[in-house]
Amino acid sequence: MHRFLFPVEVSKGEDGFFLVLFPDVPEAGTDALTIEEALEEAGDCISEALASRMKHGEPIPVPSKIGKRHGVSPTALISAKAALYLAWKETGLSCLALSKKLGIALQTLQRMLDPKHRTHIGSIETVLKVLGARLVVDMEKAA
């Protein structure tokens, strides 16, 4: 099971800004004047970092344990697309081979995997089911 909740390290810089870094995604980081703003911006930051990894065919890391750190998640759509991306990569199939297996046009699958394309969540769930996976959504109180 993949849960897209990434631990972050928060520190206060000499300039008074709160810096948020992702140990599992070293290219991701953001800062803000308050810790609340920094953590909110961190959600956008991890979404963009994962989108970039998907766009460039790079691996998506498994988040390490949160422990006593803050945890930050990407947007729901990026989480769903990341789940689809991981399920696809686990098949070892090319995008073309997977589209044929699914009986859908290559362009349709490419759009589903495109982090910037607004894909209907039901479409992602359908493909995940064919790949032997399912999408699970969690809800928790905001920090």
Side-chain angles (χ1 to χ4, degrees), residues 8 20 22 25 27-30 36-52 72-76 78 116:
V8 295
V20 178
F22 293 83
V25 187
E27 70 272 18
T30 189
E36 294 82 13
E37 288 174 350
L39 290 171
E40 185 174 328
E41 289 181 18
D44 292 335
C45 180
I46 193 65
S47 294
E48 288 299 319
L50 296 182
S52 176
V72 176
S73 295
T75 65
I78 291 296
K116 298 298 182 186

Side-chain angles (χ1 to χ4, degrees), residues 2 8-9 17 19 29 35 41 45 47 55 62 78-79 81 84 87-88 95-96 99 105 107 110 119 121 142:
H2 299 279
V8 295
E9 294 175 356
F17 279 74
L19 177 64
I35 193 167
E41 289 181 18
C45 180
S47 294
K55 181 178 178 182
V62 174
I78 291 296
S79 293
K81 287 189 176 248
L84 176 59
W88 164 51
C95 203
L96 178 60
S99 70
Q107 186 178 26
Q110 288 171 330
T119 304
I121 198 79

Side-chain angles (χ1 to χ4, degrees), residues 40 59 69 78 88 127 131 141:
E40 185 174 328
R69 299 177 286 189
I78 291 296
W88 164 51
V127 172
L131 296 177
K141 294 225 181 239

